[in-house]
Amino acid sequence: MAAAKKAVLGPLVGAVDQGTSSTRFLVFNSKTAELLSHHQVEIKQEFPREGWVEQDPKEILHSVYECIEKTCEKLGQLNIDISNIKAIGVSNQRETTVVWDKLTGEPLYNAVVWLDLRTQSTVESLSKRIPGNNNFVKSKTGLPLSTYFSAVKLRWLLDNVRKVQKAVEEDRALFGTVDSWLIWSLTGGASGGVHCTDVTNASRTMLFNIHSLEWDKELCEFFEIPMKILPNVRSSSEIYGLMKAGALEGVPISGCLGDQSAALVGQMCFQDGQAKNTYGTGCFLLCNTGRKCVFSEHGLLTTVAYKLGRDKPVYYALEGSVAIAGAVIRWLRDNLGIIKTSEEIEKLAKEVGTSYGCYFVPAFSGLYAPYWEPSARGIICGLTQFTNKCHIAFAALEAVCFQTREILDAMNRDCGIPLSHLQVDGGMTNNKILMQLQADILYIPVVKPSMPETTALGAAMAAGAAEGVGVWSLEPEDLSAVTMERFEPQINAEESEIRYSTWKKAVMKSMGWVTTQSSESGDPSIFCSLPLGFFIVSSMVMLIGARYLSGMP
């Protein structure tokens, strides 16, 4: 019997989607945007001290290779020839900071993750040096001075890690966000790897001027960052280099977008005023503001949305960032053990259909937009002896929706035109209770594409459309129509407002828990630096009791 013929589907494009919780590699048909196959690997997070969050850069890189190899094997089983993969795009967790040795290819320290809080005293000392009437950092970068962004993480590494200091002195050090680390490694590493980033990732470092689209000398001097260790800044869609190893050796890497910009592209939000919300480890609402920078008066960030080609214009976005969304589900699973898998939360929440007056503010890494309050910490309040793990599960889902509502309100005030609906994507959107809750709390429809992998799709679109690849058209008439699932509000507006105002009361109670010393010291004996204040955890355990946490009636 003749061997089965390999299916010919026309040009395919691969996308690396390297997130905070997992790495994936996905392959799309460039003509139909259909997802053909993918593979996913969970990534470990390390918490060496209270408020510190790290990852192993080599584990991140190995996970990318593993996902590529496994996806190619799956394509083979489907009789799809991997030689049809014409380009690869990279989408990545933003702000996470890596410094490595360009001679050996070895990381000089763990990746300091965007959620990490160790730099709070660095931020406070730097903020004293900014004149009150001239915040040149914000006017050049669109960002508030915060632990969130890469410059202060890099400053901490330069101040505290001797291996990093020595490598900089000896001209061996390279800095990058996760995209730079991956592209450098995948294109040859120490043997000629390409050290670059794109404008969307550069705009999250606090070292990049979003108007001139260049590293800014004044900012680098302010943070005392040597410019020689920074990557070259490129557009989001051009050939950076070729894969130098693995099943896809020789395939060009030709797309690069920070994950939230990638989702904006994947949701095809190419017009002014179009917005999307991505539910991942954190929650990120971006609104395209076109070719003009709009500076927020309500706690949002101004950021680069995309630049889809060397000679193409740059587009900007307003962004609201929530630190903890899917991470709260992981916390319930890994820290409290009240669920065994992330999917179980929907079942628990469905059992009760209400939080019964319980409110959960998951400010594990302080509060991001619109508050920018690093002193906040997580609280669960409104507990009674009736409260059980199902109510806490429901409150955790509500927390994600309330945080989104706060950002949407800020965005509506900045833009002046309220959004009529919210486009959503990301892993958490598979949870139907969450999506219905979101529609109820926003009191507008929530619209979800039938293929929720929009972050990877955006990276694939950028890669396939690059000059020299040209297998993916970004012309509006050529973009595939996407089928949508729609969630309409099902409660009355008054009830929605009452729940929201109670949530805001809970947020106020979460603030002011941490002093600089406690957040920096990592001393577990200081009660106020615990992730949920000691008294709140104690009362939760006393009131709920072990019988609820173990699932007993």
Side-chain angles (χ1 to χ4, degrees):
M1 188 173 163
K5 280 183 76 174
K6 296 271 184 186
V8 179
L9 293 163
L12 310 180
V13 179
V16 173
D17 180 5
Q18 205 300 297
T20 319
S21 303
S22 68
T23 298
R24 293 176 301 168
F25 185 70
L26 306 91
V27 174
F28 297 90
N29 183 328
S30 67
K31 299 303 177 197
T32 63
E34 178 193 0
L35 174 60
L36 300 177
S37 189
H38 77 283
H39 188 77
Q40 179 168 347
V41 172
E42 193 165 306
I43 298 289
K44 285 201 292 288
Q45 292 176 36
E46 297 173 26
F47 306 96
R49 296 194 195 179
E50 170 57 30
W52 293 30
V53 190
E54 297 180 0
Q55 290 178 324
D56 178 354
K58 291 177 83 169
E59 184 193 348
I60 291 173
L61 178 60
H62 292 152
S63 72
V64 169
Y65 279 121
E66 182 182 343
C67 288
I68 290 172
E69 297 301 315
K70 289 285 200 306
T71 303
C72 288
E73 285 172 21
K74 290 177 183 178
L75 290 170
Q77 290 159 11
L78 295 168
N79 284 330
I80 296 170
D81 192 338
I82 62 170
S83 68
N84 285 323
I85 298 174
K86 303 302 181 190
I88 295 168
V90 174
S91 154
N92 57 285
Q93 54 170 309
R94 303 170 304 168
E95 299 94 18
T96 296
T97 299
V98 188
V99 181
W100 66 94
D101 188 318
K102 67 183 177 187
L103 302 182
T104 65
E106 289 295 311
L108 295 164
Y109 191 80
N110 271 347
V112 181
V113 176
W114 57 277
L115 283 164
D116 189 279
L117 289 174
R118 75 188 67 186
T119 55
Q120 187 51 39
S121 68
T122 309
V123 167
E124 287 172 14
S125 62
L126 286 166
S127 63
K128 288 174 186 151
R129 291 169 44 202
I130 297 177
N133 60 351
N134 175 25
N135 189 342
F136 68 95
V137 174
K138 190 164 187 184
S139 63
K140 286 176 182 244
T141 67
L143 311 173
L145 198 55
S146 164
T147 59
Y148 184 14
F149 307 108
S150 311
V152 288
K153 300 179 195 302
L154 180 51
R155 182 68 258 146
W156 186 92
L157 290 168
L158 290 165
D159 288 338
N160 293 281
V161 181
R162 181 60 194 139
K163 277 171 77 173
V164 172
Q165 295 162 354
K166 197 164 185 293
V168 170
E169 288 160 12
E170 295 173 3
D171 200 22
R172 291 183 286 109
L174 295 178
F175 152 79
T177 42
V178 169
D179 57 306
S180 298
W181 163 244
L182 292 179
I183 292 172
W184 184 84
S185 301
L186 297 172
T187 57
S191 305
V194 178
H195 189 217
C196 69
T197 188
D198 90 300
V199 288
T200 68
N201 282 295
S203 77
R204 313 297 293 191
T205 60
M206 257 188 336
L207 300 169
F208 184 72
N209 188 313
I210 61 174
H211 311 286
S212 66
L213 303 184
E214 294 174 329
W215 298 122
D216 190 283
K217 190 167 182 289
E218 186 185 12
L219 289 170
C220 290
E221 285 171 358
F222 176 71
F223 290 104
E224 298 178 74
I225 304 293
M227 293 183 82
K228 64 184 179 181
I229 70 173
L230 303 178
N232 292 317
V233 183
R234 313 273 284 271
S235 78
S236 310
S237 176
E238 60 180 90
I239 295 174
Y240 313 112
L242 307 180
M243 287 284 289
K244 284 288 159 48
L248 299 181
E249 188 174 350
V251 176
I253 299 173
S254 53
C256 179
L257 289 153
D259 51 10
Q260 304 315 317
S261 288
L264 195 74
V265 171
Q267 285 266 31
M268 297 170 209
C269 295
F270 293 126
Q271 304 298 317
D272 289 22
Q274 285 187 302
K276 67 88 210 170
N277 196 31
T278 299
Y279 298 75
T281 298
C283 220
F284 303 90
L285 205 162
L286 267 70
C287 180
N288 190 331
T289 62
R291 292 165 69 173
K292 61 185 183 295
C293 280
V294 175
F295 282 87
S296 172
E297 292 176 15
H298 300 97
L300 304 181
L301 311 177
T302 304
T303 198
V304 174
Y306 51 81
K307 186 181 190 294
L308 295 173
R310 265 182 293 206
D311 303 320
K312 297 287 170 67
V314 64
Y315 283 74
Y316 296 95
L318 273 176
E319 174 175 338
S321 313
V322 169
I324 302 292
V328 75
I329 314 303
R330 192 167 174 165
W331 184 84
L332 290 174
R333 184 193 73 185
D334 297 347
N335 292 38
L336 284 197
I338 69 172
I339 51 175
K340 288 192 173 65
T341 66
S342 298
E343 292 70 33
E344 277 179 46
I345 192 151
E346 188 171 5
K347 185 171 158 239
L348 283 187
K350 196 173 182 179
E351 275 183 44
V352 286
T354 174
S355 67
Y356 202 77
C358 170
Y359 285 80
F360 191 161
V361 183
F364 302 151
S365 294
L367 290 166
Y368 283 14
Y371 300 101
W372 299 105
E373 183 48 74
S375 73
R377 283 297 176 273
I379 64 166
I380 301 175
C381 53
L383 298 171
T384 70
Q385 285 182 295
F386 182 74
T387 310
N388 66 29
K389 65 180 181 179
C390 298
H391 299 117
I392 291 172
F394 196 95
L397 295 182
E398 272 192 320
V400 175
C401 301
F402 285 130
Q403 291 178 105
T404 298
R405 165 79 188 264
E406 292 193 294
I407 287 172
L408 195 73
D409 283 359
M411 204 161 271
N412 286 340
R413 288 198 294 273
D414 277 326
C415 295
I417 304 165
L419 287 181
S420 59
H421 66 277
L422 182 65
Q423 289 175 234
V424 300
D425 58 77
M428 290 185 82
T429 61
N430 293 324
N431 185 322
K432 290 189 185 301
I433 286 185
L434 178 73
M435 292 295 94
Q436 186 56 55
L437 271 174
Q438 189 66 88
D440 291 346
I441 288 166
L442 296 180
Y443 214 67
I444 57 172
V446 167
V447 180
K448 174 194 163 190
S450 55
M451 199 288 292
E453 305 292 354
T454 51
T455 301
L457 178 60
M461 289 165 67
E467 187 181 339
V469 178
V471 298
W472 205 308
S473 170
L474 297 182
E475 296 303 319
E477 63 272 16
D478 296 329
L479 293 170
S480 305
V482 180
T483 54
M484 299 284 189
E485 187 176 0
R486 198 174 170 94
F487 296 84
E488 300 282 349
Q490 290 181 356
I491 63 172
N492 64 50
E494 187 183 0
E495 186 188 339
S496 180
E497 288 307 314
I498 290 167
R499 281 157 67 176
Y500 183 48
S501 63
T502 312
W503 155 263
K504 288 180 98 64
K505 200 160 77 173
V507 170
M508 291 302 120
K509 293 184 187 302
S510 77
M511 293 187 187
W513 281 89
V514 178
T515 63
T516 301
Q517 281 141 327
S518 62
S519 69
E520 297 269 327
S521 69
D523 180 355
S525 67
I526 301 171
F527 96 89
C528 64
S529 72
L530 290 169
L532 292 163
F534 171 80
F535 294 121
I536 292 166
V537 173
S538 301
S539 61
M540 185 176 81
V541 173
M542 285 190 293
L543 288 170
I544 300 171
R547 61 201 183 101
Y548 288 117
L549 295 182
S550 64
M552 290 171 65

